[in-house]
Amino acid sequence: MTTRRPFRWPALLTPNGRGIAYGGDYNPDQWPDEVVDDDIRLMREAHVNTVALAIFSWDRIEPREGEYTFDWLDSVIDRLGAAGIAVDLASATAAAPLWLYERHPEVLPVDKYGHTVNAGSRQSWQPTSPVFKEYALRLCRALAEHYKDNPYVTAWHMGNEYGWNNRYDYSDNALAAFRAWCERKYRTIDALNDAWGTAFWSQHVNSFNEVLLPRHMGGDAMVNPAQQLDYERFGNDMLLDFYRAERDAIEAICPDKPFTTNFMVSTDQCCMDYAQWASEVDFVSNDHYFHEGESHLDELACSDALMSSLAAGRPWYVMEHSTSAVQWKPLNARKRHGELLRDSLAHVALGADAINFFQWRQSASGAEAFHSAMVPHAGEDSKVFRGVCELGEALETLSAAGVQGTELERADTAILFSAESEWATRSQTLPSMRLNHWHDVRDWYRTFLEAGERADVVPLAYDWSAYRTVVLPTVLVLSAADARRLADFAASGGRVVVGYATGLVDEHFRTWLGGYPGAGDGLLREVLGVRGEEFNILGDTGEGDPTEIALTLQGGAGACELTTRLWQTDVTSTAPDTTVLAAYHGPAAADWELGGTPAITCHPYGEGEGVYVGCDLDRHDLARLITALSAVPEGRAGAAPEPGMAAGAGAAASRGLDPSILHTVRVSADGATRFDFYMNRSKRAVELEGVSGEPIIAHQCDPLPSHSGQSGAAYTLGRNAILVTRLVR
Ligand code: GLA
Ligand code: GLA
């Protein structure tokens, strides 16, 4: 992993440069010039202090090849700056002008069937095209020269969601680049043959010139999973290279302004390996769009938990979210009363110091006209715009109270996320095509909330050794080094919880042999004290066969019954010191010859332990498991938090709260000031007692008369409520 660039955060145009950034994508090129003045009037009304500008404006900046027109952009930036609104200026390369494609159709990507993608949308370019890169870098340099000294431009917004539309390119440029990438990675062709297991199906490669992209291979379509996984990595790397080239071109001319690019972290997608990207930006930013339904807040918090880890505990930027509905799903629900403000402040609660939307003014034309915005079609006399103003005020209140720059308190547990495992679980060569690493991370995250505890989500590649517990949900890919880190963590007192379908293959998608889960040549099995030989896969395909199996969990408040519906590792032996916490039983288990087979186990390892969850469980059952596990003394229980680390205290404080409440804490660097954020995860009103500190924000909350003898204040949190309090020690 490359060293991380130093953290640099864009200053606002406020007297001291500080404050929570608030605004959105601003696309004045879609409107006549007089609308800009009206926009600025409304931005001031809404307390907007930042906009992301010119993201899709290449054709306006360079209407014909080599002809740059900055006048319109200068005029917009001058007016914004004079109104105290800082500009996060785009490199403007996310959508190229049509003249470029007319002149150079060879820059267009090619799909896996060999069809050239057409121009007319965005990111219709090959990340590996030298021709496109030349045009893009020329534009970057022109922008950098023109705006390097502009005091209102306070950050560079590179590209936009790199890889959204050109993540998978199968062009000849990509082929040449993939061959070169493989040669850099493997050095010798023997190493590649070995890694890819090319002895299978006559795939031996004689030289790097014979390496193929995983283009469409006919109806069978069973691509070598090692080749596919490398192609995923390659695509990530090519886009990261492209980003770096753009950043470096600007930085050579304009080194003083911080760089970012908007990630796409939400638990429905995993485009890039952002654990790598986070090292290459000065501050991390994200685009997050809400999930409809009961997972709304939990999903947001889970995505943000990963963002917070990517930001290495430092503040991060919400570059885009929506005031209400989007327009790109089959059905697009709007937000309910209070959700606009609650969602935004929930991001702050999870560590964000910037709240921005796509987009400022709702488009009248084009593909996104029915996507909500800060100024809706209805205009300023609207619920949405009033909500936008209310949010602006709330963010100013939080800024004035000193939230900006405080850091999110760490949890005790880290759920480990791996982009590689997410890509790998999509392979069609596994025992089940229903594996989904990211969704399992989300389920575990929600489960911890339901069990009254908040977890962090941390990239597998990062350092998670200071946590008490790590959880690996469907982390299919584990290298020998990963297995060693897990074993060392357990040996020194940590608890490692290993989910089903974890640690089955190495980084080359080569199966670990000798029994499941075999990562590290059996090291993971040693940590867990179990050995499995087969997998039992349930589903609706086997006519008449039972589709769910019961297991009885011992511990906690007595035995309880859980159900598995997809995957059971057939554990055939356990170590003498392994405790079986749950075993399969009942008629379905007997039918599948699993009666009495260990399903969930716990095994001491050094000072710590390995817990194996050899089957899938739904969230409610996982919550029961977490409760039962918290009754099992763990190696580090009672260990003091490390100096300077806020870990432990806050997580413990959250315990005992109604699990319908999501509780987070942000603490100042000197530890003197803490902000507690309380949000209602449920639809019903929830009572919260024992709240210390002064209330800063109480949105959809009502104070309750305090009971005599009770310490702290009490509130009722209504639906979509958020309460923020400040405590100065
Ligand atoms: C077919 C093929 C074999 C193998 C099996 C797997 O029968 O001939 O090579 O792929 O399917 O079931
Ligand atoms: C992404 C893009 C924006 C816009 C929004 C719509 O986040 O970056 O340009 O298309 O989606 O939700």
Side-chain angles (χ1 to χ4, degrees), residues 128 132 239 244 363 548 558:
T128 54
F132 184 78
L239 282 150
R244 278 198 210 100
S363 301
E548 49 184 59

Side-chain angles (χ1 to χ4, degrees), residues 25 55-56 122 160-161 262 287 289 320 326-328 358 368 371:
D25 284 9
I55 294 173
F56 300 109
R122 41 186 175 172
N160 191 65
E161 296 189 338
N262 40 350
D287 294 352
Y289 289 94
E320 295 178 21
V326 302
Q327 91 322 338
W328 39 258
F358 176 82
E368 297 184 322
H371 191 296

Side-chain angles (χ1 to χ4, degrees), residues 382-514:
S382 59
K383 272 194 303 192
V384 166
F385 188 67
R386 281 187 285 277
V388 163
C389 294
E390 182 191 24
L391 172 60
E393 272 176 43
L395 293 172
E396 278 199 357
T397 302
L398 290 175
S399 294
V403 167
Q404 195 211 339
T406 58
E407 294 187 8
L408 181 65
E409 202 178 63
R410 238 188 37 204
D412 292 342
T413 297
I415 303 171
L416 301 184
F417 173 77
S418 147
E420 297 199 335
S421 279
E422 172 61 17
W423 300 334
T425 50
R426 287 191 220 137
S427 171
Q428 300 193 349
T429 63
L430 296 167
S432 163
M433 286 191 204
R434 295 195 187 154
L435 296 182
N436 190 317
H437 166 56
W438 218 165
H439 286 184
D440 285 347
V441 168
R442 183 176 75 202
D443 281 355
W444 272 94
Y445 184 86
R446 299 190 68 198
T447 292
F448 275 101
L449 294 181
E450 260 143 51
E453 199 184 324
R454 188 178 61 81
D456 287 346
V457 179
V458 182
L460 173 67
Y462 284 12
D463 179 8
W464 29 261
S465 59
Y467 285 90
R468 285 184 186 171
T469 299
V470 295
V471 181
L472 291 93
T474 328
V475 183
L476 184 75
V477 182
L478 283 181
S479 65
D482 293 330
R484 171 47 59 202
R485 289 167 73 211
L486 290 164
D488 290 349
F489 173 79
S492 66
R495 172 183 273 170
V496 178
V497 180
V498 171
Y500 72 98
T502 291
L504 303 185
V505 303
D506 73 3
E507 67 274 31
H508 302 302
F509 222 112
R510 213 167 11 199
T511 317
W512 288 108
L513 303 178

